């Protein structure tokens, strides 16, 4: 259950008057999700999702909500936030920031085939291109600076072979992030958490990306690595599935061609994508915050993926 702040239809009725949505007809808490309180909201005008943000502040939210608005207005399939009568996307509800976004059709595809990976790859490339003129800037808050903060917090909890791997990978990634090659990679707004549970499909048709609350400005290639590390892996071994990888990369490349620099940076970046989630899962396991981490995600999954990305040459980004 992931409704941390309870809201009734009666609570919502006066509040929703500021949105051009008519009266609220139904409100139903959404069980999945571990960060925020989410509700399916039906109004006289249609179907929406109401989110009450449990951890993000009013100052942090414009970046995410304006990015979704920007992308949606350029035809990228993401849920458009609904502005109130003052043009605001985020307004208090029970003292916490809240927003209404369009409800996407469909459901998550948790056993993706190449056809699904191609859809995700093409839409991710469109998203990267559409974000180029987004005017707001926020760094990826789970980037290298956060890794420097999180690693010392988790290392005392780790056994030596794993601790040694973490220390070695941190050194490797510091050098990579400081390299001239890294400095030449294209950057912009990225989703940074585009896992299978953050994309909707209606059959084989992608209907949207959602959960933008880890988005930030980073290299496009990092976003590709994070996404491939989830969509194209065998979940038991962490090994990349060739057919899914090829379908994803070819579809991305057809929209936004990869560069030679990106090819050179690809293997270190796949490792960076694995390290990011190994670290955050370790951190959430050892330093749980209140009101979240109902079921902590398994860090060893990403440790396995990291070891695998170090040991196995990366596939070609393009042919
Ligand atoms: N725009 C949307 N359209 C349709 N369903 C949505 C939408 N946004 C969220 N949902 C539904 O709500 C669920 C929880 O949303 P979300 O993943 O954003 O929650 P969260 O608390 O931020 O979680 P987490 O960080 O665990 O992914 C999703 O699994 C999805 O079923
Ligand atoms: N996608 C993250 C959870 C936070 O959205 C993980 O699998 O660790």
């Amino acid at each position: 259950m992931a409704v941390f702040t309870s809201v009734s239809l009666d609570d919502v009725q006066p509040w929703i008057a500021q949105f051009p949505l008519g009266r609220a007809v139904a409100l139903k808490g959404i069980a999945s999700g571990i960060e925020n309180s989410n509700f399916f909201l039906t109004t006289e005008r249609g179907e929406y999702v109401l989110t009450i943000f449990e951890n993000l502040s009013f100052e942090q939210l414009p970046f995410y909500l304006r990015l979704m608005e920007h992308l949606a207005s350029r035809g990228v399939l993401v849920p458009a936030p609904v502005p109130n009568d003052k043009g605001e996307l985020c307004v208090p509800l029970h003292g916490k920031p809240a927003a209404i976004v369009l409800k996407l059709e469909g459901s998550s595809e948790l056993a993706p085939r190449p056809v699904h990976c191609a859809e995700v790859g093409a839409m991710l490339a469109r998203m990267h291109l559409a974000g180029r003129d987004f005017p707001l800037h926020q760094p990826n808050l789970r980037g290298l600076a956060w890794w420097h903060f999180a690693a010392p917090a988790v290392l005392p909890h780790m056994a030596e072979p794993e601790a040694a791997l973490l220390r070695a990978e941190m050194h490797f990634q510091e050098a990579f992030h400081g390299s001239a090659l890294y400095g030449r990679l294209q950057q912009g707004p990225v989703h940074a958490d585009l896992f299978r549970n953050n994309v909707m499909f209606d059959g084989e048709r992608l209907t949207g990306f959602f959960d933008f609350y880890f988005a930030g400005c980073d290299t496009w290639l990092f976003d590709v690595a994070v996404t491939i590390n989830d969509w194209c892996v065998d979940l038991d071994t962490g090994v990349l599935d060739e057919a899914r990888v090829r379908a994803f990369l070819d579809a991305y490349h057809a929209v936004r061609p990869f560069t030679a620099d990106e090819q050179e940076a690809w293997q270190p970046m796949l490792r960076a994508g694995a390290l990011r989630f190994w670290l955050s899962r370790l951190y959430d396991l050892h330093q749980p915050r209140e009101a979240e981490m109902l079921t902590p995600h398994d860090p060893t999954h990403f440790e396995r993926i990291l070891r695998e990305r170090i040991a196995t040459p990366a596939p070609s980004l393009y042919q």
Side-chain angles (χ1 to χ4, degrees):
M1 129 57 217
V3 173
F4 305 105
T5 302
S6 38
V7 181
S8 70
L9 199 53
D10 285 346
D11 295 336
V12 157
Q13 222 54 272
W15 182 79
I16 208 170
Q18 65 190 303
F19 294 94
L21 299 176
R23 282 180 62 76
V25 177
L27 186 71
K28 187 171 176 293
I30 304 177
S32 64
I34 54 172
E35 286 278 337
N36 301 308
S37 299
N38 292 296
F39 303 83
F40 289 125
L41 168 69
T42 308
T43 80
E44 290 170 333
R45 297 288 154 75
E47 306 268 341
Y48 303 88
V49 171
L50 163 65
T51 300
I52 301 181
F53 298 95
E54 301 291 343
N55 299 311
L56 294 169
S57 67
F58 282 101
E59 291 69 41
Q60 293 170 306
L61 280 161
F63 179 84
Y64 307 112
L65 295 168
R66 293 289 168 199
L67 177 60
M68 290 160 75
E69 181 185 53
H70 177 95
L71 296 173
S73 74
R74 281 156 179 75
V76 181
L77 296 181
V78 310
V82 181
N84 72 359
D85 50 18
K86 293 189 195 129
E88 297 162 328
L89 301 183
C90 178
V91 281
L93 179 58
H94 288 328
K96 292 179 183 166
I100 298 176
V101 304
L102 288 181
K103 183 179 176 205
L104 300 169
E105 297 294 317
S107 55
S108 298
E109 176 51 69
L110 298 180
R113 288 179 282 112
V115 64
H116 302 108
C117 295
E119 288 273 293
V120 176
M123 190 61 69
L124 187 63
R126 287 177 56 189
M127 189 193 117
H128 289 163
L129 292 176
R132 282 178 300 184
D133 61 343
F134 181 59
L136 303 185
H137 188 277
Q138 173 175 283
N140 171 7
L141 298 177
R142 290 284 180 278
L144 185 65
W146 186 81
W147 307 349
H148 278 300
F149 155 80
V154 300
L155 276 166
H157 300 275
M158 297 170 74
E160 188 42 38
E162 290 75 37
L165 174 66
L166 179 54
R167 283 192 296 266
E169 191 61 20
M170 286 293 295
H171 285 306
F172 177 84
Q173 290 296 336
E174 273 161 35
F176 171 51
H177 280 69
S179 67
L181 171 66
Y182 185 90
R184 291 195 301 271
L185 301 176
Q186 285 169 290
Q187 301 214 4
V190 301
H191 186 287
D193 188 26
L194 195 60
F195 282 42
R196 301 175 193 194
N197 61 345
N198 287 335
V199 180
M200 290 295 188
F201 273 94
D202 183 4
E204 292 177 355
R205 186 177 61 92
L206 189 153
T207 61
F209 293 171
F210 62 102
D211 201 358
F212 274 74
Y213 306 113
F214 282 113
C217 296
D218 206 327
T219 63
W220 288 342
L221 194 64
F222 177 74
D223 218 13
V224 175
V226 165
T227 310
I228 290 248
N229 272 342
D230 186 65
W231 282 85
C232 305
V233 290
D234 176 87
L235 291 176
D236 293 328
T237 60
V239 172
L240 286 173
D241 176 82
E242 261 185 57
R244 277 182 282 157
V245 170
R246 208 58 275 147
F248 185 110
L249 292 175
D250 289 351
Y252 184 102
H253 188 67
V255 177
R256 202 283 294 177
F258 290 112
T259 64
D261 282 334
E262 287 177 321
Q263 178 60 60
E264 200 181 333
W266 183 217
Q267 184 150 17
M269 200 62 92
L270 280 168
R271 291 168 60 165
L275 175 65
R276 182 283 183 222
F277 287 94
W278 186 31
L279 257 181
S280 63
R281 288 179 172 203
L282 284 167
Y283 188 82
D284 287 343
L285 185 69
H286 296 303
Q287 324 269 331
R289 285 179 285 169
E290 234 179 289
E292 71 156 355
M293 295 321 298
L294 305 168
T295 319
H297 293 299
D298 175 16
T300 63
H301 175 66
F302 274 102
E303 180 193 335
R304 217 164 18 251
I305 292 182
L306 176 58
R307 290 186 191 278
E308 171 61 28
R309 298 297 172 274
I310 293 170
T312 307
S316 278
L317 282 177
Y318 48 87
Q319 294 159 326

